[in-house]
Amino acid sequence: MNSAAAHNSDAVRHLYVHFPFCARICPYCAFYKTRGNSADFAAFCDALAIEAKYAAERISLKLETIFWGGGTPTVLSTEQLASLLRLFAQTFDLRRVSEWTIEANPGSVSAKKAAVLRHGGITRISLGIQSWEDDLLYLLGREHNARQAEESFRIFREAGFENIGIDLMFALPGQTEAQWRASLERTIVLEPEHISTYCLTYEEDTEFLARFERGEFHAEDDTEARFFQIAMSMLETAGYKHYEISNYARPGFYSRHNEAYWRGADYIGLGPSAFSTRGNERWQNIEDHREYARRLSAGESPTASIEKLTRAMKRAEQIALGLRSYHGVPANLVAASNTNDLVEAGFVAYRNGRVVLTHAGKLVADSVAEELL
Ligand SMILES: C[S@@+](CC[C@H](N)C(=O)[O-])C[C@H]1O[C@@H](n2cnc3c(N)ncnc32)[C@H](O)[C@@H]1O
Ligand code: SF4
């Protein structure tokens, strides 16, 4: 089996696993996912076991964070999750792992599953609640309602999880500011350690984009900015630190895995469609779970493409990702003249030799990053 992974020698500290299955397909989602059936679930688990062992043998790893994302990892059965957790414990050295996240959907949570995750080493839950309004959840095609969302949060707390993040979406079709405030309020009351708030994006090849193009949905910059400001103000008042454009956390609960991505650290991705980045190389696994499983069972590599990262590409990523985080970017990475113009316009500021977004800059982060490139 050949893979791009064999070339570089620095130890990799971050591992992502893409679980490609969901109970239902949300009409706005562009991540690689499919419904799958029980044979697909089993074939995926077998293939992941092969890929994990292969990665552990061939790549120098000193794992500090693991992220099981998707898709919906919790759609797998309790037994399948238990067996994958055991496999990871046998395959990888987990002694340095301080954060192991799993993305969970309220529709596929039970007390038994939560207990298995907790005892199997998962330390952090990222719970996709999205909204607390049943009519908006219906529009989003979610399999859960607000009552189930609250119940799943309680289940994870009772299972002993002390690091739970809640994902919410805003600027949804028909969503009012009052509804958004109420959603934030209801989230704050639960006291999660972490809250992500994502502005709805109309992604390519989604039903939502088709509806947007037919004129059924509208997106306005002013509305999005207002919703964003409401989140910033309410969550900061509630004691959450706005540590990245879409992310808020209690002190000590920033996502270490995501912070590693944002600062450009190397990571290995397992599972169909997963990206890995090591040194100047980025590669992606095949975006087809059956072909992924077939290749691994036949002893073939699941890598579909390899890309060389140039200095210019790495710099552009460092600026775009760094600027979104409260760390900002090193001032010597960007031209002083552009930066000074943006300082004068009130969009960025200098802090300890770094350039950071101001409050006004956070509203137009992507354009500011472009100006700095
Ligand atoms: C990888 S997704 C999946 C997590 C999980 N399956 C779920 O749906 O709850 C992570 C987060 O991305 C956000 N997301 C997905 N599609 C989005 C879109 N088109 N616009 C904005 N946020 C989106 C959702 O908040 C979701 O919780
Ligand atoms: S948003 Fe989550 S549950 Fe919905 S289709 Fe995407 S990955 Fe699956």
Side-chain angles (χ1 to χ4, degrees):
M1 197 178 340
N2 281 319
S3 159
H7 300 315
N8 199 313
S9 61
D10 286 348
V12 178
R13 295 171 191 276
H14 310 284
L15 177 68
Y16 173 76
V17 181
H18 192 82
F19 288 70
F21 307 113
C22 294
R24 267 208 227 168
I25 301 303
C26 307
Y28 55 85
C29 176
F31 291 96
Y32 172 63
K33 78 283 164 193
T34 171
R35 292 276 301 276
N37 56 37
S38 53
D40 292 325
F41 291 7
F44 164 77
C45 291
D46 291 348
L48 180 59
I50 299 171
E51 198 189 15
K53 285 189 184 132
Y54 173 71
E57 281 162 18
R58 297 286 299 270
I59 304 171
S60 162
L61 298 169
K62 284 190 181 163
L63 292 183
E64 293 173 7
T65 69
I66 302 178
F67 195 106
W68 283 9
T72 308
T74 51
V75 93
L76 294 187
S77 70
T78 303
E79 291 67 32
Q80 283 168 326
L81 288 167
S83 139
L84 287 177
L85 289 163
R86 276 195 304 275
L87 170 94
F88 269 51
Q90 288 157 6
T91 309
F92 298 111
D93 178 356
L94 301 179
R95 283 172 301 178
R96 291 180 203 85
V97 173
S98 62
E99 183 186 281
W100 187 348
T101 304
I102 187 168
E103 284 185 333
N105 280 24
S108 52
V109 174
S110 67
K112 191 167 167 224
K113 202 175 270 186
V116 161
L117 296 174
R118 178 89 186 103
H119 293 123
I122 301 282
T123 64
R124 181 171 180 270
I125 301 294
S126 173
L127 188 59
I129 290 180
Q130 319 307 350
S131 169
W132 288 104
E133 304 283 336
D134 283 346
D135 54 346
L136 289 174
L137 288 169
Y138 179 77
L139 177 80
L140 291 173
R142 304 293 294 187
E143 52 164 345
H144 68 270
N145 56 29
R147 191 193 52 72
Q148 285 170 304
E150 197 160 295
E151 174 68 3
S152 61
F153 185 88
R154 191 187 58 71
I155 287 174
F156 282 122
R157 272 286 189 251
E158 285 177 3
F161 284 101
E162 292 172 352
N163 189 357
I164 306 183
I166 289 183
D167 284 6
L168 297 174
M169 291 166 72
F170 65 88
L172 303 173
Q175 187 182 32
T176 65
E177 279 186 26
Q179 283 177 323
W180 179 227
R181 283 180 196 282
S183 266
L184 289 164
E185 196 49 59
R186 193 154 171 192
T187 305
I188 291 166
V189 165
L190 289 177
E191 302 186 350
E193 285 66 34
H194 192 282
I195 301 173
S196 301
T197 61
Y198 298 110
C199 180
L200 174 66
T201 313
Y202 291 92
E203 302 277 2
E204 294 272 330
D205 297 326
T206 62
E207 193 187 315
F208 262 34
L209 180 64
R211 294 184 70 175
F212 178 80
E213 286 171 349
R214 287 201 298 270
E216 289 176 38
F217 296 156
H218 308 277
E220 272 148 30
D221 289 349
D222 286 358
T223 316
E224 292 174 0
R226 269 204 317 279
F227 277 69
F228 179 75
Q229 274 172 311
I230 290 171
M232 259 199 297
S233 139
M234 286 182 65
L235 295 176
E236 284 177 346
T237 304
Y240 291 89
K241 167 95 177 160
H242 192 194
Y243 75 107
E244 197 267 351
I245 288 283
S246 306
N247 290 286
Y248 304 78
R250 295 253 181 247
F253 290 98
Y254 301 175
S255 161
R256 293 177 199 166
H257 186 85
N258 287 338
E259 285 221 289
Y261 278 144
W262 300 328
R263 69 165 182 271
D266 288 349
Y267 56 89
I268 296 299
L270 308 180
S273 84
F275 281 97
S276 302
T277 300
R278 199 164 181 216
N280 296 328
E281 242 173 28
R282 175 165 300 155
W283 63 99
Q284 186 182 20
N285 277 353
I286 184 118
E287 205 177 87
D288 176 331
H289 67 99
R290 288 190 180 142
E291 176 61 7
Y292 166 82
R294 189 205 62 74
R295 285 195 190 183
L296 281 155
S297 68
E300 296 170 23
S301 165
T303 307
S305 59
I306 305 176
E307 182 184 22
K308 286 275 173 218
L309 299 176
T310 62
R311 280 166 77 98
M313 286 159 84
K314 291 193 92 160
R315 175 178 168 272
E317 274 186 11
Q318 205 183 340
I319 293 173
L321 296 175
L323 206 58
R324 291 173 61 92
S325 117
Y326 80 106
H327 297 293
V329 293
N332 61 9
L333 200 70
V334 291
S337 56
N338 293 7
T339 312
N340 292 338
D341 289 349
L342 289 164
V343 170
E344 217 160 283
F347 293 126
V348 298
Y350 287 106
R351 196 181 63 204
N352 305 328
R354 302 180 76 90
V355 177
V356 294
L357 289 174
T358 60
H359 208 275
K362 287 178 179 178
L363 297 170
V364 286
D366 292 344
S367 340
V368 173
E370 270 172 41
E371 292 290 323
L372 288 176
L373 282 181

